[in-house]
């Protein structure tokens, strides 16, 4: 059986994990990145979300940069994105975003991780984890060559569903009375679209058409916005809604099929009813569902919606966000969308990345220690990338200082993040 001894192990190659691996490797740590797909990007590529939202306040003040902004620069240089822009969703909300081509993003991430010096293992599934007290001492993976054992010094769980921490027996935050996990979405690519005709549809008319689609049972949610692919007449549409427990294998399997059913019905509605879409068809289905919410770790600090609303400036802040609290209900076609104010931003504390009871593990991604409502704001990918940069940098720093992650030298970490381009007032 193969045994490897990386200094930093990152489990999950989504946007948080990829950025964490880049940051850790650039900071000098021998870094190993494990991903179950054959490419990086997670929700951005495997789920084909097609756009990054949540870079700035409503007034346009940028709150996320660093490695995340480097990725945008790569995409623009490759002709796979038109960079930062604003748009109005069919629900009427004005958002900032970066549209991108998921296929080219895979290539950009390959290059950046390789250039940083991290090693990548694709097609690897987590088997189990062993801990000794408050330390994860080994992780077993199932690879094409059979089981492999990794014995890392530092671990970053960026798997989204926090499968590694679940295997290690970590504690998670429960949903409270009246709360349900946000549903998943099945992204689909549709085209060709007459872009001018589609863009000319008034917002009120598009919203009315979306409600009509819901009433007819052809749309699962009252939305018709898509993210367009540079250089094409196609768009990725996020207009499905599938309630599930993403940690239940049978529920996840059934949800994948339901997502494809919804996508096919939605594509038919677009072609039949939406101006500019008469010549279009369903071109592609995302390889996997886009999961909004599953496990959330019980961390050293639980970030709350009250703290987000107050814009609390934590002394141990390692990232900022500005995305609204965006809750998709498990039932119904509506949306709960709470905006914070024109120039409002909020801090992410380092303690929310640190699982309670473990001293060599960090979380990077949507599963940080946050309430259900706070998670609805912090789960978006620019914020996740900012957290990934902090996690990777902190892991490398702890190694060099022979310290636990819970005792990280925070002023030093914050200074390094600023020097590496992160926005950290």
């Amino acid at each position: 059986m193969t045994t490897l001894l990386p200094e930093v192990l990152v489990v999950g190659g989504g946007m948080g994990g990829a950025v964490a691996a880049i940051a850790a490797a650039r900071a000098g740590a021998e870094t190993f990145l494990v991903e179950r797909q054959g490419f990086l990007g997670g929700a951005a590529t495997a789920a084909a979300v097609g756009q990054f939202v949540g870079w700035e306040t409503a007034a346009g003040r940028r709150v996320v940069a660093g490695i995340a902004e480097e990725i945008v620069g790569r995409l623009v240089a490759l002709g796979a994105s038109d960079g930062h822009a604003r748009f109005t969703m069919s629900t009427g909300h004005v958002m900032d975003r970066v549209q991108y081509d998921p296929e080219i993003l895979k290539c950009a991430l390959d290059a950046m991780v390789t250039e940083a010096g991290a090693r990548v293992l694709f097609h690897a599934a987590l088997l189990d984890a062993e801990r000794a007290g408050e330390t994860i001492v080994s992780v077993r993976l199932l690879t094409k060559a059979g089981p492999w054992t990794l014995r890392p010094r530092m671990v970053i769980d960026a798997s989204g569903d926090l499968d590694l921490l679940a295997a290690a027996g970590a504690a998670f935050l429960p949903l409270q009375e009246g709360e349900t996990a946000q549903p998943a979405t099945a992204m689909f690519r549709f085209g060709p679209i007459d872009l001018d005709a589609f863009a000319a549809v008034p917002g009120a008319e598009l919203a009315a058409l979306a409600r009509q689609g819901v009433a007819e049972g052809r749309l699962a949610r009252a939305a018709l916005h898509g993210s367009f692919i540079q250089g094409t007449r196609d768009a990725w549409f996020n207009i499905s809604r599938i309630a599930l427990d993403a940690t239940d294998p049978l529920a996840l399997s059934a949800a994948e099929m339901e997502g494809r059913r919804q996508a096919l019905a939605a594509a038919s509605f677009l072609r039949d009813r939406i101006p500019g879409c008469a010549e279009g068809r369903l071109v592609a289905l995302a390889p996997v569902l886009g999961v909004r919410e599953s496990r959330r770790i019980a961390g050293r600090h639980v970030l709350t919606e009250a703290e987000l609303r107050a814009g609390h400036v934590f002394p141990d802040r390692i990232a900022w966000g500005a995305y609204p609290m965006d809750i998709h209900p498990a039932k119904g076609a509506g949306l709960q969308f709470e905006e914070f104010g024109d120039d409002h931003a909020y801090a992410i504390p380092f303690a929310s990345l640190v699982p309670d009871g473990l001293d060599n593990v960090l979380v990077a991604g949507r599963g940080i220690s946050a309430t259900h409502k706070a998670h609805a704001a912090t789960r978006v990918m620019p914020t996740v990338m900012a957290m990934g940069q902090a996690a990777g940098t902190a892991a490398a720093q702890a190694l060099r200082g022979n310290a636990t992650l819970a005792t990280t030298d925070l002023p030093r970490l914050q200074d390094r993040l600023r020097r590496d381009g992160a926005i950290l007032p």
Side-chain angles (χ1 to χ4, degrees), residues 179-197:
E179 294 179 346
T180 55
Q182 293 204 52
T185 194
M187 298 291 298
F188 66 92
R189 179 171 173 168
F190 180 92
I193 299 170
D194 182 329
L195 302 180
D196 292 335

Side-chain angles (χ1 to χ4, degrees), residues 210-229:
R211 292 192 296 271
Q212 182 180 347
V214 172
E216 294 177 5
R218 300 173 73 183
L219 295 181
R221 55 176 295 220
L224 283 170
H225 43 267
S227 52
F228 291 87
I229 304 167

